[in-house]
Amino acid sequence: MCINLAVICPVFNEQDNVQKVCEEWLATLDKVVGKNHYAWIFFNDGSTDETLNTLQFLRNRYPQVIVIDKKNTGHGPTCLYGYKYAIEQNYDWIFQIDSDGQCDPQFFLKFWENKDNFSWQFGKRVSRDDGFMRVVISKILSLVVLIASGVYVSDPNVPYRLMPTKPLKDFLYFIPENFFLANVVVSVFVNSKFGIKWHPIHFRARFSGVSKVRGFKFAKIACDLFLGLLPLRPYFTRD
């Protein structure tokens, strides 16, 4: 059995969403990748609700599902943890999405069909159902990234991304393990060194619940991102 795709899905307090997200994605992945050629890996980031119980139910029901339970460190560090896990397990590809239902599986086929033509494929959220403020936040994030790193990335924190593990391994080492928006650092580095193939995607509203990043919290995150990117700027210059 050849399993060459790791689907990395960080989870924190998504008890009302994870089963629906998992089951709709498994249906797509079974058709596009093949049931025996991928693993869906949930990284439970210290959830305090019934999320872990639901994940264990999914693991027992679907052989493609793996559940890794870890202490709470935040979304970015959990993504880094997941990337490193996939690298250590010798998967060829990593596909990372979130667990709230905003990532629509209908766009995945284009990513998988083009993996031999474009190594780094990211979704670009050209439309979204989660409100105008989220559009504004994404644009501000791109501006902060440009000023701090000198690299423009049109959608730096998009969770819909297909990446090869071997080259990813070569630069994860310089990203601090506690970097909250680690996905942004990955996007900046990849765009500066290799280039990203962007695919337009639609971003849905959450299946249930509200975003955990709002208002003043985003302002602090943006400030921390700016200060965190500045010392990493030398890594983003082209060779």
Side-chain angles (χ1 to χ4, degrees), residues 224-236:
D224 290 345
L225 174 65
F226 179 82
L227 296 176
L229 284 174
L230 285 177
L232 300 179
R233 188 165 181 153
Y235 291 104
F236 307 137

Side-chain angles (χ1 to χ4, degrees), residues 173-214:
Y173 70 91
F174 73 76
I175 304 176
E177 291 187 357
N178 63 345
F179 205 110
F180 184 78
L181 290 179
N183 269 350
V184 172
V185 183
V186 172
S187 300
V188 175
F189 186 88
V190 170
N191 210 34
S192 67
K193 297 293 185 180
F194 309 109
I196 295 171
K197 173 61 178 178
W198 297 96
H199 294 295
I201 63 171
H202 174 71
F203 214 50
R204 303 182 298 196
R206 293 173 53 91
F207 284 158
S208 178
V210 296
S211 172
K212 300 173 182 65
V213 178
R214 292 183 290 173

Side-chain angles (χ1 to χ4, degrees), residues 83 87 94 120 163-172 186 190:
Y83 297 165
I87 290 168
I94 291 172
W120 306 90
M163 303 177 291
T165 56
K166 289 182 180 179
L168 185 63
K169 177 182 179 180
D170 293 337
F171 66 83
L172 286 184
V186 172
V190 170

Side-chain angles (χ1 to χ4, degrees), residues 21-235:
V21 169
C22 179
E23 290 179 341
E24 75 161 356
W25 268 96
L26 292 186
T28 294
L29 292 166
D30 283 355
K31 294 178 182 178
V32 174
V33 182
K35 183 175 293 187
N36 296 325
H37 299 285
Y38 74 92
W40 179 288
I41 312 172
F42 284 109
F43 291 86
N44 181 52
D45 187 32
S47 294
T48 56
D49 61 2
E50 292 299 311
T51 294
L52 182 57
N53 288 335
T54 303
L55 295 180
Q56 291 170 339
F57 164 79
L58 293 170
R59 178 185 60 193
N60 293 333
R61 186 171 186 178
Y62 301 105
Q64 307 96 309
V65 173
I66 297 171
V67 176
I68 306 294
D69 188 31
K70 58 182 287 295
K71 68 177 183 179
N72 179 259
T73 56
H75 184 271
T78 300
C79 288
L80 283 182
Y81 187 95
Y83 297 165
K84 292 174 181 178
Y85 175 89
I87 290 168
E88 291 170 359
Q89 298 300 314
N90 295 315
Y91 293 99
D92 296 321
W93 296 92
I94 291 172
F95 183 65
Q96 187 246 310
I97 62 168
D98 285 346
S99 57
D100 53 15
Q102 292 190 272
C103 297
D104 193 327
Q106 70 169 302
F107 304 105
F108 178 73
L109 176 61
K110 180 178 291 186
F111 285 70
W112 195 245
E113 287 182 334
N114 282 281
K115 68 182 185 303
D116 295 327
N117 299 320
F118 305 103
S119 294
W120 306 90
Q121 300 181 76
F122 287 32
K124 181 178 180 181
R125 293 172 283 194
V126 296
S127 60
R128 51 197 305 170
D129 294 332
D130 53 356
F132 178 72
M133 184 53 62
R134 306 301 295 185
V135 177
V136 173
I137 286 175
S138 289
K139 291 187 179 298
I140 293 174
L141 202 62
S142 291
L143 181 60
V144 170
V145 168
L146 175 61
I147 296 172
S149 70
V151 180
Y152 177 72
V153 184
S154 60
D155 198 349
N157 199 38
V158 65
Y160 212 109
R161 49 181 69 192
L162 181 65
M163 303 177 291
T165 56
K166 289 182 180 179
L168 185 63
K169 177 182 179 180
D170 293 337
F171 66 83
L172 286 184
Y173 70 91
F174 73 76
I175 304 176
E177 291 187 357
N178 63 345
F179 205 110
F180 184 78
L181 290 179
N183 269 350
V184 172
V185 183
V186 172
S187 300
V188 175
F189 186 88
V190 170
N191 210 34
S192 67
K193 297 293 185 180
F194 309 109
I196 295 171
K197 173 61 178 178
W198 297 96
H199 294 295
I201 63 171
H202 174 71
F203 214 50
R204 303 182 298 196
R206 293 173 53 91
F207 284 158
S208 178
V210 296
S211 172
K212 300 173 182 65
V213 178
R214 292 183 290 173
F216 291 111
K217 187 174 182 180
F218 171 73
K220 182 182 184 305
I221 289 172
C223 181
D224 290 345
L225 174 65
F226 179 82
L227 296 176
L229 284 174
L230 285 177
L232 300 179
R233 188 165 181 153
Y235 291 104

